[in-house]
Amino acid sequence: MLRKHFLFLVLISLSLPVFAKHIAGGEMSYAYLGPGTLANSGKYRITLRLYRDCYTDGAQLDATASITIYPAGSSSYIANLRADLSKKDVVSLTTPNPCISNPPTICYEIGYYITEVELPFTSSGYTISYQRCCRINGIFNVINSQDAGVTYTTKIPGNAIVSNAPLNSTPVFKTSDTLVVCAGNFFTYDFGAIDADKDLLSYSFDDAYLGGDKNTPTPTNSTAPPYEPLTYGFGFSSQSPLGIGVTINNATGIISGVAPTAGIYVVTVAVAEKRNGVIINTHRKDLHLKIADCSIAAADLYPTYTTCNGYVMNFNNNSTSPLITSYDWDFGISGSTTDVSSNPNPSFTFPSAGDYTVTLITNKGKLCSDTAVTIAKVYPGFVPDFNIVQTCQGVPYLFTDASKTNFGTLSSWYWDFGNTAVTNDTANTANSSYVYGVNGSYTVTMIVKNSIGCVDTLRKSVSVDNKPALTVSRDTLICTADQLQLSATGTGVFSWTPNYQISSTSVSNPIVKPKVATRYSVTLTQAPGCTNTASVYVDVRDFVSLRAGMDTTICLGDSIRLSPVSDAMNYTWSPSSTVSDPNIKQPWAKPTGTTRYSVIAKIGSCQANDGFIITTVPYPLAYAGKDTSICVDGVAQLHATGGQKYLWFPPNTLNNNTFQDPIATPYETTSYIVGVYENYGCPKPVYDTVIVNIIPPVKAFAGNDTAVVIGQPLQMAASGALNYIWTPSSFLNNPYIWNPIAKLNDDQTYMVRVSTKEGCYAFDTVNVKVYKTPPEIFVPTAFTPNGDGLNDQLIPIPVGISSIVYFKVYNRYGELVFTTNEFGKGWNGIYKGRDQGNESFVWQVLGIDYLGKPLFKKGESTLIR
């Protein structure tokens, strides 16, 4: 039900809703309905609109709202109106544009609280306000947004401004509450309004206000104006609520720019109503704008692109939507068919300076195709620069623009003189001055623009002291017959003292020709109290003292530092071909043979000459001898040549490491390094290396003891090295090979000597038993695997057998319990990890004799435990 209120009626809200964080924007407006029932009064319909995010848990719009009216300039309200929730709309983004990737969910409940009031016309008018807690959580551009309340307010103007000002209705915003804004994408948002009174409208960003808090979420009456603004975070302000990349058109109310990071942002737009040339009222709307993490498939370019330092320009589409699959660029070169690209981020070189119309078509001929046009302004040759005339603390520093532009004219300047303690250290003229009150270092910034649109920034450091900058010549030395030009650098008036043998005492670079050592001082004056003094000492000589150096000897190929003792100012060495720099005092010399070096030393026209001889001696030719090898526990005789003295390393395995030919007894292969010295003047040694290899111990093996049948050939087989000698040589076909053949009639023991090519050797023996029977394989009829070392295994004993093909043992179930083909190996009575019991086992054996004939036997053996 619509409630009507009159000036003499004050109603207090009886509803106290709970503390909740749900308000997502709002607006207080009014409409003039006509004259009131009293003389000189008017009727107004007041409308409060509150926005609630549909997805806010547990927080609903209030059933009533308290609206407070204050006379302008007064802190006492005249009415506190109770308005019911008369209507509730729901607006949502139900069908997002298919060309938006990852579209956000947008849904608002909009509550309308409407009431009417009759007010007398006054000269100053009224302020109407509503306060509540709290705004939704997570607002990005505001500091401490947690529990921040709201104040929505509007003003009914008084007739002191314009006589008919009270006969006014607020403008009506025509904004879309479901606009999709994607982070990092260019967007436009029409925040324009319609005014029934036909007043001239202008737009601006404005402060968002605090209001109720969690302790008093629904005040019974709003506090009196003025209202406290929210505190904006770094990079944001009431005038830049979405950052510096987003602006509002003052004439149209259109907000445009590149959207900031995804999040929720408080945006307040104020529209000013101007009637008869006078602003009669300012109407405001608060909105919590959602910037979504989405992207729009669009051709999105800035209005202009400018290059001021070349002809190459880089382009890219501001939209990064994954729905864009193709790019068609045309760079606007008249008559050209090659000024195109399909690259998402092309680089193009324009042929000459000028304006070019650049066109981008995305998804040409496909879904979500879009076209954008921009102007490329190519005007190279814009170089910012400025000069500084430094003075003193308290005296103006002069700053002069020295920028250059090849196109257009320099049109604007902005100076920031770097004094962070104040805010008025700026200027906007081409040339300016600034007085620094405190010593220190300051960074001066100049931003310069030209009429073409080029803009650049240059920074330079300036030092502020209580005296002007002054530099003078270094202390120096001259000959009595010469003159010298002094030099002082600075800005101001120069004054030199003493007035002795000086061409002028008032110039920056006088000529002096003193006959005795003199210290000349100069005073620089820029302003009263702004002076600096420096001095230069001019020593005077009648002659040049010089001692080039003593004769010396060095090793051929080495370098030596030439170090004359002299007071000269200039030097010239010869011969110059073997000197690092013939015109410095202490160059490096690298003579190719014995050389006399001479130097001319000068002080002006005074000079002296001296020299000395550098004798070169070749390095010794070091030779440590040939690498050698010795047996374990052997010795090696080392022998070096090439010099008069020797020093060996490592010394611990040498009998004397200073001998030319020491004896080495290394424990392992060792590299011996010898330093060779000579006595002809070259003090440096030359090194060489000899390696003494240790031959590993010889492992002689004559073979396993064996048995043969009388008259049967036996193939011997030794191993261990390269050379072999068998003893005795009896019955052997060749005692000097590793595998001779023996034919024996009786038992025999042979010894073999095995040696390397270096002479390292070892011995081993083999016993041969001769059976006077045919070849045979004997197998015991019983064995006792009890661990006493006697008959613990069932082993075949071959006689005259060269190899065992197999020896197999079976249990009474026919299971194979053991097999081998190696001499000397047998069965230990264990099968599958278990000791076998007392019983008989069947065995089979197949051998090959030394004539290559097979011998097969089988039988039984008893296991006894």
Side-chain angles (χ1 to χ4, degrees), residues 362-390:
T362 54
N363 291 348
K364 186 175 183 180
K366 305 175 185 177
L367 179 67
C368 301
S369 179
D370 195 22
T371 301
V373 178
T374 186
I375 300 299
K377 304 174 77 65
V378 182
Y379 296 102
F382 178 67
V383 181
D385 194 15
F386 63 89
N387 298 320
I388 304 174
V389 176
Q390 296 188 213

PDB file of all heavy atoms in Angstrom, residues 362-390:
ATOM      1  N   THR A 362      37.458 -10.565 -36.915  1.00  0.00           N
ATOM      2  CA  THR A 362      37.653 -11.845 -36.229  1.00  0.00           C
ATOM      3  C   THR A 362      36.550 -12.811 -36.650  1.00  0.00           C
ATOM      4  O   THR A 362      35.402 -12.414 -36.864  1.00  0.00           O
ATOM      5  CB  THR A 362      37.626 -11.665 -34.703  1.00  0.00           C
ATOM      6  OG1 THR A 362      36.411 -10.994 -34.333  1.00  0.00           O
ATOM      7  CG2 THR A 362      38.807 -10.835 -34.230  1.00  0.00           C
ATOM      8  N   ASN A 363      36.945 -14.102 -36.767  1.00  0.00           N
ATOM      9  CA  ASN A 363      36.000 -15.170 -37.163  1.00  0.00           C
ATOM     10  C   ASN A 363      35.254 -14.797 -38.432  1.00  0.00           C
ATOM     11  O   ASN A 363      34.025 -14.924 -38.529  1.00  0.00           O
ATOM     12  CB  ASN A 363      35.009 -15.462 -36.038  1.00  0.00           C
ATOM     13  CG  ASN A 363      35.655 -16.112 -34.837  1.00  0.00           C
ATOM     14  OD1 ASN A 363      36.790 -16.555 -34.907  1.00  0.00           O
ATOM     15  ND2 ASN A 363      34.933 -16.173 -33.734  1.00  0.00           N
ATOM     16  N   LYS A 364      35.992 -14.342 -39.435  1.00  0.00           N
ATOM     17  CA  LYS A 364      35.365 -13.900 -40.676  1.00  0.00           C
ATOM     18  C   LYS A 364      34.552 -15.026 -41.299  1.00  0.00           C
ATOM     19  O   LYS A 364      35.054 -16.127 -41.527  1.00  0.00           O
ATOM     20  CB  LYS A 364      36.443 -13.424 -41.646  1.00  0.00           C
ATOM     21  CG  LYS A 364      35.902 -12.801 -42.916  1.00  0.00           C
ATOM     22  CD  LYS A 364      37.032 -12.255 -43.763  1.00  0.00           C
ATOM     23  CE  LYS A 364      36.512 -11.559 -45.012  1.00  0.00           C
ATOM     24  NZ  LYS A 364      37.621 -11.026 -45.835  1.00  0.00           N
ATOM     25  N   GLY A 365      33.260 -14.757 -41.566  1.00  0.00           N
ATOM     26  CA  GLY A 365      32.382 -15.742 -42.172  1.00  0.00           C
ATOM     27  C   GLY A 365      31.963 -16.851 -41.234  1.00  0.00           C
ATOM     28  O   GLY A 365      31.394 -17.851 -41.675  1.00  0.00           O
ATOM     29  N   LYS A 366      32.238 -16.705 -39.905  1.00  0.00           N
ATOM     30  CA  LYS A 366      31.908 -17.748 -38.939  1.00  0.00           C
ATOM     31  C   LYS A 366      31.013 -17.164 -37.847  1.00  0.00           C
ATOM     32  O   LYS A 366      30.717 -15.963 -37.823  1.00  0.00           O
ATOM     33  CB  LYS A 366      33.183 -18.307 -38.308  1.00  0.00           C
ATOM     34  CG  LYS A 366      34.212 -18.817 -39.294  1.00  0.00           C
ATOM     35  CD  LYS A 366      35.487 -19.237 -38.562  1.00  0.00           C
ATOM     36  CE  LYS A 366      36.584 -19.630 -39.517  1.00  0.00           C
ATOM     37  NZ  LYS A 366      37.848 -19.962 -38.811  1.00  0.00           N
ATOM     38  N   LEU A 367      30.624 -18.038 -36.921  1.00  0.00           N
ATOM     39  CA  LEU A 367      29.866 -17.590 -35.760  1.00  0.00           C
ATOM     40  C   LEU A 367      30.708 -16.618 -34.941  1.00  0.00           C
ATOM     41  O   LEU A 367      31.909 -16.796 -34.810  1.00  0.00           O
ATOM     42  CB  LEU A 367      29.464 -18.802 -34.899  1.00  0.00           C
ATOM     43  CG  LEU A 367      28.667 -18.491 -33.620  1.00  0.00           C
ATOM     44  CD1 LEU A 367      27.295 -17.936 -33.989  1.00  0.00           C
ATOM     45  CD2 LEU A 367      28.533 -19.748 -32.775  1.00  0.00           C
ATOM     46  N   CYS A 368      30.079 -15.610 -34.379  1.00  0.00           N
ATOM     47  CA  CYS A 368      30.740 -14.591 -33.546  1.00  0.00           C
ATOM     48  C   CYS A 368      31.737 -13.762 -34.342  1.00  0.00           C
ATOM     49  O   CYS A 368      32.764 -13.330 -33.809  1.00  0.00           O
ATOM     50  CB  CYS A 368      31.433 -15.226 -32.337  1.00  0.00           C
ATOM     51  SG  CYS A 368      30.339 -16.152 -31.260  1.00  0.00           S
ATOM     52  N   SER A 369      31.470 -13.535 -35.619  1.00  0.00           N
ATOM     53  CA  SER A 369      32.331 -12.649 -36.406  1.00  0.00           C
ATOM     54  C   SER A 369      32.129 -11.209 -35.941  1.00  0.00           C
ATOM     55  O   SER A 369      31.030 -10.803 -35.552  1.00  0.00           O
ATOM     56  CB  SER A 369      31.998 -12.787 -37.896  1.00  0.00           C
ATOM     57  OG  SER A 369      32.814 -11.916 -38.655  1.00  0.00           O
ATOM     58  N   ASP A 370      33.212 -10.428 -35.965  1.00  0.00           N
ATOM     59  CA  ASP A 370      33.140  -9.045 -35.513  1.00  0.00           C
ATOM     60  C   ASP A 370      34.199  -8.230 -36.251  1.00  0.00           C
ATOM     61  O   ASP A 370      35.214  -8.777 -36.725  1.00  0.00           O
ATOM     62  CB  ASP A 370      33.361  -8.959 -34.008  1.00  0.00           C
ATOM     63  CG  ASP A 370      32.944  -7.604 -33.432  1.00  0.00           C
ATOM     64  OD1 ASP A 370      32.136  -6.918 -34.074  1.00  0.00           O
ATOM     65  OD2 ASP A 370      33.442  -7.237 -32.361  1.00  0.00           O
ATOM     66  N   THR A 371      33.967  -6.935 -36.357  1.00  0.00           N
ATOM     67  CA  THR A 371      34.883  -6.043 -37.070  1.00  0.00           C
ATOM     68  C   THR A 371      35.195  -4.832 -36.194  1.00  0.00           C
ATOM     69  O   THR A 371      34.306  -4.296 -35.533  1.00  0.00           O
ATOM     70  CB  THR A 371      34.268  -5.573 -38.404  1.00  0.00           C
ATOM     71  OG1 THR A 371      33.986  -6.709 -39.220  1.00  0.00           O
ATOM     72  CG2 THR A 371      35.239  -4.651 -39.144  1.00  0.00           C
ATOM     73  N   ALA A 372      36.460  -4.427 -36.197  1.00  0.00           N
ATOM     74  CA  ALA A 372      36.879  -3.224 -35.479  1.00  0.00           C
ATOM     75  C   ALA A 372      37.797  -2.422 -36.381  1.00  0.00           C
ATOM     76  O   ALA A 372      38.572  -2.978 -37.173  1.00  0.00           O
ATOM     77  CB  ALA A 372      37.585  -3.581 -34.180  1.00  0.00           C
ATOM     78  N   VAL A 373      37.704  -1.101 -36.252  1.00  0.00           N
ATOM     79  CA  VAL A 373      38.526  -0.185 -37.050  1.00  0.00           C
ATOM     80  C   VAL A 373      39.232   0.776 -36.101  1.00  0.00           C
ATOM     81  O   VAL A 373      38.632   1.258 -35.136  1.00  0.00           O
ATOM     82  CB  VAL A 373      37.663   0.587 -38.070  1.00  0.00           C
ATOM     83  CG1 VAL A 373      38.527   1.576 -38.845  1.00  0.00           C
ATOM     84  CG2 VAL A 373      36.976  -0.371 -39.029  1.00  0.00           C
ATOM     85  N   THR A 374      40.508   1.009 -36.370  1.00  0.00           N
ATOM     86  CA  THR A 374      41.270   1.945 -35.551  1.00  0.00           C
ATOM     87  C   THR A 374      42.157   2.784 -36.456  1.00  0.00           C
ATOM     88  O   THR A 374      42.312   2.476 -37.650  1.00  0.00           O
ATOM     89  CB  THR A 374      42.122   1.194 -34.520  1.00  0.00           C
ATOM     90  OG1 THR A 374      42.740   2.153 -33.650  1.00  0.00           O
ATOM     91  CG2 THR A 374      43.204   0.376 -35.188  1.00  0.00           C
ATOM     92  N   ILE A 375      42.704   3.834 -35.903  1.00  0.00           N
ATOM     93  CA  ILE A 375      43.623   4.700 -36.647  1.00  0.00           C
ATOM     94  C   ILE A 375      45.035   4.475 -36.105  1.00  0.00           C
ATOM     95  O   ILE A 375      45.270   4.596 -34.899  1.00  0.00           O
ATOM     96  CB  ILE A 375      43.243   6.189 -36.508  1.00  0.00           C
ATOM     97  CG1 ILE A 375      41.833   6.417 -37.043  1.00  0.00           C
ATOM     98  CG2 ILE A 375      44.244   7.065 -37.258  1.00  0.00           C
ATOM     99  CD1 ILE A 375      41.649   6.074 -38.517  1.00  0.00           C
ATOM    100  N   ALA A 376      45.963   4.130 -37.010  1.00  0.00           N
ATOM    101  CA  ALA A 376      47.375   4.008 -36.659  1.00  0.00           C
ATOM    102  C   ALA A 376      48.068   5.313 -37.029  1.00  0.00           C
ATOM    103  O   ALA A 376      48.116   5.682 -38.203  1.00  0.00           O
ATOM    104  CB  ALA A 376      48.014   2.833 -37.384  1.00  0.00           C
ATOM    105  N   LYS A 377      48.608   6.002 -36.044  1.00  0.00           N
ATOM    106  CA  LYS A 377      49.280   7.280 -36.263  1.00  0.00           C
ATOM    107  C   LYS A 377      50.781   7.027 -36.193  1.00  0.00           C
ATOM    108  O   LYS A 377      51.316   6.679 -35.141  1.00  0.00           O
ATOM    109  CB  LYS A 377      48.839   8.289 -35.206  1.00  0.00           C
ATOM    110  CG  LYS A 377      47.315   8.493 -35.158  1.00  0.00           C
ATOM    111  CD  LYS A 377      46.883   9.387 -34.020  1.00  0.00           C
ATOM    112  CE  LYS A 377      47.136  10.848 -34.304  1.00  0.00           C
ATOM    113  NZ  LYS A 377      46.342  11.368 -35.429  1.00  0.00           N
ATOM    114  N   VAL A 378      51.450   7.197 -37.335  1.00  0.00           N
ATOM    115  CA  VAL A 378      52.879   6.895 -37.469  1.00  0.00           C
ATOM    116  C   VAL A 378      53.624   8.210 -37.625  1.00  0.00           C
ATOM    117  O   VAL A 378      53.599   8.820 -38.709  1.00  0.00           O
ATOM    118  CB  VAL A 378      53.131   5.949 -38.663  1.00  0.00           C
ATOM    119  CG1 VAL A 378      54.619   5.600 -38.755  1.00  0.00           C
ATOM    120  CG2 VAL A 378      52.294   4.684 -38.535  1.00  0.00           C
ATOM    121  N   TYR A 379      54.275   8.653 -36.568  1.00  0.00           N
ATOM    122  CA  TYR A 379      54.988   9.929 -36.590  1.00  0.00           C
ATOM    123  C   TYR A 379      56.288   9.799 -35.802  1.00  0.00           C
ATOM    124  O   TYR A 379      56.391  10.279 -34.665  1.00  0.00           O
ATOM    125  CB  TYR A 379      54.103  11.056 -36.032  1.00  0.00           C
ATOM    126  CG  TYR A 379      52.880  11.311 -36.881  1.00  0.00           C
ATOM    127  CD1 TYR A 379      51.634  10.827 -36.491  1.00  0.00           C
ATOM    128  CD2 TYR A 379      52.982  11.995 -38.080  1.00  0.00           C
ATOM    129  CE1 TYR A 379      50.520  11.032 -37.271  1.00  0.00           C
ATOM    130  CE2 TYR A 379      51.865  12.214 -38.878  1.00  0.00           C
ATOM    131  CZ  TYR A 379      50.628  11.729 -38.476  1.00  0.00           C
ATOM    132  OH  TYR A 379      49.530  11.936 -39.266  1.00  0.00           O
ATOM    133  N   PRO A 380      57.314   9.162 -36.369  1.00  0.00           N
ATOM    134  CA  PRO A 380      58.579   8.959 -35.640  1.00  0.00           C
ATOM    135  C   PRO A 380      59.371  10.256 -35.517  1.00  0.00           C
ATOM    136  O   PRO A 380      59.105  11.240 -36.211  1.00  0.00           O
ATOM    137  CB  PRO A 380      59.311   7.932 -36.505  1.00  0.00           C
ATOM    138  CG  PRO A 380      58.776   8.154 -37.881  1.00  0.00           C
ATOM    139  CD  PRO A 380      57.339   8.548 -37.717  1.00  0.00           C
ATOM    140  N   GLY A 381      60.346  10.207 -34.616  1.00  0.00           N
ATOM    141  CA  GLY A 381      61.218  11.364 -34.435  1.00  0.00           C
ATOM    142  C   GLY A 381      60.829  12.230 -33.269  1.00  0.00           C
ATOM    143  O   GLY A 381      61.100  13.443 -33.263  1.00  0.00           O
ATOM    144  N   PHE A 382      60.208  11.638 -32.252  1.00  0.00           N
ATOM    145  CA  PHE A 382      59.821  12.380 -31.055  1.00  0.00           C
ATOM    146  C   PHE A 382      60.769  11.963 -29.928  1.00  0.00           C
ATOM    147  O   PHE A 382      60.771  10.807 -29.496  1.00  0.00           O
ATOM    148  CB  PHE A 382      58.374  12.062 -30.701  1.00  0.00           C
ATOM    149  CG  PHE A 382      57.877  12.737 -29.439  1.00  0.00           C
ATOM    150  CD1 PHE A 382      57.728  14.110 -29.377  1.00  0.00           C
ATOM    151  CD2 PHE A 382      57.566  11.987 -28.313  1.00  0.00           C
ATOM    152  CE1 PHE A 382      57.276  14.723 -28.225  1.00  0.00           C
ATOM    153  CE2 PHE A 382      57.113  12.592 -27.155  1.00  0.00           C
ATOM    154  CZ  PHE A 382      56.966  13.970 -27.115  1.00  0.00           C
ATOM    155  N   VAL A 383      61.617  12.902 -29.466  1.00  0.00           N
ATOM    156  CA  VAL A 383      62.648  12.582 -28.476  1.00  0.00           C
ATOM    157  C   VAL A 383      62.542  13.570 -27.312  1.00  0.00           C
ATOM    158  O   VAL A 383      62.797  14.768 -27.483  1.00  0.00           O
ATOM    159  CB  VAL A 383      64.061  12.659 -29.089  1.00  0.00           C
ATOM    160  CG1 VAL A 383      65.112  12.286 -28.043  1.00  0.00           C
ATOM    161  CG2 VAL A 383      64.171  11.750 -30.309  1.00  0.00           C
ATOM    162  N   PRO A 384      62.167  13.083 -26.120  1.00  0.00           N
ATOM    163  CA  PRO A 384      62.090  14.003 -24.973  1.00  0.00           C
ATOM    164  C   PRO A 384      63.482  14.281 -24.395  1.00  0.00           C
ATOM    165  O   PRO A 384      64.339  13.405 -24.377  1.00  0.00           O
ATOM    166  CB  PRO A 384      61.227  13.235 -23.978  1.00  0.00           C
ATOM    167  CG  PRO A 384      61.522  11.802 -24.280  1.00  0.00           C
ATOM    168  CD  PRO A 384      61.753  11.723 -25.776  1.00  0.00           C
ATOM    169  N   ASP A 385      63.699  15.493 -23.911  1.00  0.00           N
ATOM    170  CA  ASP A 385      64.961  15.841 -23.258  1.00  0.00           C
ATOM    171  C   ASP A 385      64.781  17.171 -22.530  1.00  0.00           C
ATOM    172  O   ASP A 385      63.896  17.962 -22.872  1.00  0.00           O
ATOM    173  CB  ASP A 385      66.093  15.950 -24.288  1.00  0.00           C
ATOM    174  CG  ASP A 385      67.468  15.971 -23.623  1.00  0.00           C
ATOM    175  OD1 ASP A 385      67.549  15.617 -22.426  1.00  0.00           O
ATOM    176  OD2 ASP A 385      68.450  16.340 -24.286  1.00  0.00           O
ATOM    177  N   PHE A 386      65.585  17.379 -21.514  1.00  0.00           N
ATOM    178  CA  PHE A 386      65.587  18.677 -20.846  1.00  0.00           C
ATOM    179  C   PHE A 386      66.942  18.902 -20.202  1.00  0.00           C
ATOM    180  O   PHE A 386      67.697  17.958 -19.936  1.00  0.00           O
ATOM    181  CB  PHE A 386      64.448  18.809 -19.826  1.00  0.00           C
ATOM    182  CG  PHE A 386      64.502  17.851 -18.667  1.00  0.00           C
ATOM    183  CD1 PHE A 386      65.191  18.159 -17.491  1.00  0.00           C
ATOM    184  CD2 PHE A 386      63.836  16.638 -18.727  1.00  0.00           C
ATOM    185  CE1 PHE A 386      65.221  17.281 -16.423  1.00  0.00           C
ATOM    186  CE2 PHE A 386      63.853  15.754 -17.657  1.00  0.00           C
ATOM    187  CZ  PHE A 386      64.553  16.073 -16.503  1.00  0.00           C
ATOM    188  N   ASN A 387      67.255  20.181 -19.966  1.00  0.00           N
ATOM    189  CA  ASN A 387      68.510  20.604 -19.346  1.00  0.00           C
ATOM    190  C   ASN A 387      68.227  21.170 -17.961  1.00  0.00           C
ATOM    191  O   ASN A 387      67.146  21.722 -17.703  1.00  0.00           O
ATOM    192  CB  ASN A 387      69.205  21.657 -20.210  1.00  0.00           C
ATOM    193  CG  ASN A 387      69.582  21.119 -21.578  1.00  0.00           C
ATOM    194  OD1 ASN A 387      70.030  19.981 -21.716  1.00  0.00           O
ATOM    195  ND2 ASN A 387      69.374  21.928 -22.619  1.00  0.00           N
ATOM    196  N   ILE A 388      69.223  21.031 -17.094  1.00  0.00           N
ATOM    197  CA  ILE A 388      69.091  21.518 -15.718  1.00  0.00           C
ATOM    198  C   ILE A 388      70.258  22.455 -15.417  1.00  0.00           C
ATOM    199  O   ILE A 388      71.417  22.098 -15.644  1.00  0.00           O
ATOM    200  CB  ILE A 388      69.109  20.357 -14.704  1.00  0.00           C
ATOM    201  CG1 ILE A 388      68.026  19.324 -15.025  1.00  0.00           C
ATOM    202  CG2 ILE A 388      68.932  20.877 -13.281  1.00  0.00           C
ATOM    203  CD1 ILE A 388      68.087  18.087 -14.149  1.00  0.00           C
ATOM    204  N   VAL A 389      69.957  23.646 -14.927  1.00  0.00           N
ATOM    205  CA  VAL A 389      70.981  24.547 -14.399  1.00  0.00           C
ATOM    206  C   VAL A 389      70.908  24.432 -12.880  1.00  0.00           C
ATOM    207  O   VAL A 389      69.956  24.897 -12.249  1.00  0.00           O
ATOM    208  CB  VAL A 389      70.753  26.001 -14.856  1.00  0.00           C
ATOM    209  CG1 VAL A 389      71.791  26.918 -14.209  1.00  0.00           C
ATOM    210  CG2 VAL A 389      70.818  26.101 -16.370  1.00  0.00           C
ATOM    211  N   GLN A 390      71.921  23.748 -12.309  1.00  0.00           N
ATOM    212  CA  GLN A 390      71.914  23.505 -10.874  1.00  0.00           C
ATOM    213  C   GLN A 390      72.442  24.712 -10.111  1.00  0.00           C
ATOM    214  O   GLN A 390      73.441  25.325 -10.501  1.00  0.00           O
ATOM    215  CB  GLN A 390      72.738  22.263 -10.545  1.00  0.00           C
ATOM    216  CG  GLN A 390      72.163  20.993 -11.145  1.00  0.00           C
ATOM    217  CD  GLN A 390      72.858  19.736 -10.657  1.00  0.00           C
ATOM    218  OE1 GLN A 390      72.967  18.788 -11.378  1.00  0.00           O
ATOM    219  NE2 GLN A 390      73.320  19.743  -9.425  1.00  0.00           N
TER     220      GLN A 390
END
